[in-house]
Amino acid sequence: MAKLIGLTFVGLLLALYKNHQSSYQTRLNALREVTSVAPPNCNLVKGIETGAEDLEILPNGLTFLSTGLKYPGIKSFDPNKPGKILLMDLNKKDPAVLELELTGNKLDKASFNPHGISTFTDEDNAVYLLVVNHPQSKSTVEVFKFQEEERSLLHLKTITHELLPSINDIAAVGPESFYATNDHYFADPYLGSWEMYLGLSWSNVVYYSPDKVQVVAEGFDFANGIGISPDGKHVYIAELLAHNIHVYEKHANWTLSPLKFLNFDTLVDNISVDPVTGDLWVGCHPNGMKIFFYDSENPPGSEVLRIQNILSEEPKVTVVYAENGTVLQGSTVASVYKGKLLIGTVFHRALYCDL
């Protein structure tokens, strides 16, 4: 009888493990293969070899790129060098990248590890760049002021808070105010890996200002990219491992109310919002297993979605770019400027295409 009970217990454990493994593979989209889609005339951006995880295009075409991210469980082609913020001028025919000098005395440049970025322009046209940073595996937000003539970033402030343990991306609403996604509940990488593996859906979105800090949305399976509609009335949140983009209504007191969500057959990463049309451009991972378990012989592919009329009953979703990793590995972000498409990746190259 004891052996029968023991065998039954082992059988239940194996069944639970098998079901969980199946769920884990589904969340990572482990069986997805890519059908290639490409705009005409795409070229790799010279000078980007260690990723451009996030990017922000100013109205004048100047573009900030966050490069050199070191993230737990993700490949890095140059793990011993600090990250950089690069600048491109998309008005030029063949734009090159320029490394921006980081000035100021309070930033540890040796441990600079930039992730998500966002810009805010004040009424005097001063441009502030807010950068998610992971020095020594911590999470901070670094506030810079862009010095255009000097081609430099003046470091103004480092922001930390207990409600910001594992920041992925931010959407600035002021020089020191923003919405931020925490992709994990736990700051510790080991606990975070179990949180992700078990699918606990404990990540959240936080509103931060010097006067108020609060959780405004929660229950996400790896909250990732975040963007705001051009009229400032809606916030878009990418839920990576559930393959969802959520639409929230933004209120005057900065709280959020859920309106709807869209589900996709891909892992949605960063969201860029076209300031003119309101379209969402989303960098995606068609197969997350290849991102988290990197194999140079079978590299992760790339995918870019364009979502039009997201607030309507029937939004239009178009695959603008898709590729199996031969050209571009691990796309995370895409944005457009005057008929051009710029695509960044978590650890690889960047691509510039005609639309």
Side-chain angles (χ1 to χ4, degrees):
M1 186 65 178
K3 289 182 179 180
L4 180 60
I5 293 174
L7 286 172
T8 302
F9 181 70
V10 170
L12 287 172
L13 286 178
L14 289 174
L16 288 172
Y17 175 76
K18 185 176 181 180
N19 287 336
H20 179 73
Q21 280 293 97
S22 176
S23 172
Y24 186 63
Q25 291 182 347
T26 298
R27 291 164 61 227
L28 289 179
N29 226 17
L31 302 180
R32 169 91 189 275
E33 296 296 336
V34 177
T35 300
S36 293
V37 176
N41 192 26
C42 288
N43 296 286
L44 292 169
V45 178
K46 296 177 183 178
I48 297 179
E49 306 288 343
T50 58
E53 200 281 337
D54 202 4
L55 63 91
E56 279 275 310
I57 303 177
L58 296 177
N60 63 4
L62 291 180
T63 302
F64 301 104
L65 301 103
S66 162
T67 70
L69 175 65
K70 272 72 70 179
Y71 187 90
I74 299 293
K75 176 72 175 177
S76 172
F77 286 121
D78 201 349
N80 297 317
K81 284 191 177 180
K84 304 173 183 178
I85 301 296
L86 304 180
L87 186 72
M88 289 180 67
D89 185 351
L90 300 186
N91 295 293
K92 296 184 177 180
K93 184 176 180 180
D94 187 17
V97 295
L98 168 73
E99 180 181 352
L100 290 174
E101 181 184 1
L102 307 180
T103 62
N105 299 321
K106 296 184 178 180
L107 180 70
D108 181 10
K109 299 176 187 177
S111 65
F112 188 54
N113 188 14
H115 198 166
I117 61 175
S118 184
T119 58
F120 178 81
T121 303
D122 69 13
E123 57 187 14
D124 297 320
N125 288 322
V127 176
Y128 296 86
L129 180 69
L130 280 64
V131 180
V132 176
N133 185 24
H134 301 296
Q136 292 88 38
S137 299
K138 300 175 184 177
S139 280
T140 68
V141 173
E142 310 296 344
V143 181
F144 297 93
K145 188 175 183 179
F146 179 44
Q147 314 279 60
E148 185 172 349
E149 291 187 4
E150 294 84 358
R151 290 296 196 258
S152 65
L153 292 169
L154 174 63
H155 183 250
L156 302 178
K157 187 175 184 179
T158 296
I159 296 172
T160 61
H161 196 276
E162 62 182 6
L163 290 181
L164 299 171
S166 183
I167 316 172
N168 187 295
D169 195 20
I170 53 176
V173 293
E176 298 179 20
S177 304
F178 51 86
Y179 290 98
T181 58
N182 284 306
D183 52 27
H184 293 80
Y185 175 83
F186 294 108
D188 180 85
Y190 175 74
L191 294 176
S193 66
W194 276 106
E195 177 188 344
M196 175 179 156
Y197 178 70
L198 296 173
L200 296 180
S201 299
W202 286 356
S203 73
N204 59 28
V205 176
V206 170
Y207 169 73
Y208 177 93
S209 74
D211 303 319
K212 179 193 294 186
V213 186
Q214 60 181 331
V215 175
V216 291
E218 55 190 341
F220 298 105
D221 190 359
F222 203 116
N224 201 306
I226 187 167
I228 300 177
S229 62
D231 61 10
K233 294 181 179 180
H234 299 94
V235 174
Y236 310 119
I237 301 165
E239 187 179 13
L240 184 81
L241 296 180
H243 317 163
N244 294 329
I245 289 181
H246 297 261
V247 181
Y248 281 78
E249 182 180 1
K250 181 169 74 69
H251 302 293
N253 63 357
W254 305 104
T255 59
L256 303 177
S257 297
L259 290 181
K260 62 187 292 188
F261 70 89
L262 280 67
N263 184 257
F264 305 91
D265 187 26
T266 191
L267 280 68
V268 285
D269 202 308
N270 287 323
I271 299 170
S272 299
V273 182
D274 188 314
V276 178
T277 65
D279 295 349
L280 276 64
W281 293 81
V282 189
C284 305
H285 307 287
N287 186 322
M289 188 70 77
K290 296 181 181 182
I291 278 286
F292 290 103
F293 301 93
Y294 183 79
D295 178 0
S296 60
E297 299 298 319
N298 187 21
S302 294
E303 189 168 33
V304 172
L305 300 182
R306 179 188 186 185
I307 306 171
Q308 298 169 274
N309 303 316
I310 191 170
L311 297 176
S312 69
E313 292 186 4
E314 296 184 6
K316 181 180 179 182
V317 180
T318 307
V319 178
V320 178
Y321 181 86
E323 200 268 333
N324 64 7
T326 304
V327 176
L328 201 65
Q329 301 178 16
S331 57
T332 52
V333 64
S335 193
V336 293
Y337 180 77
K338 292 185 177 180
K340 301 285 188 176
L341 172 67
L342 182 60
I343 307 171
T345 65
V346 63
F347 55 73
H348 192 228
R349 307 290 300 276
L351 198 67
Y352 192 46
C353 302
D354 291 328
L355 285 176

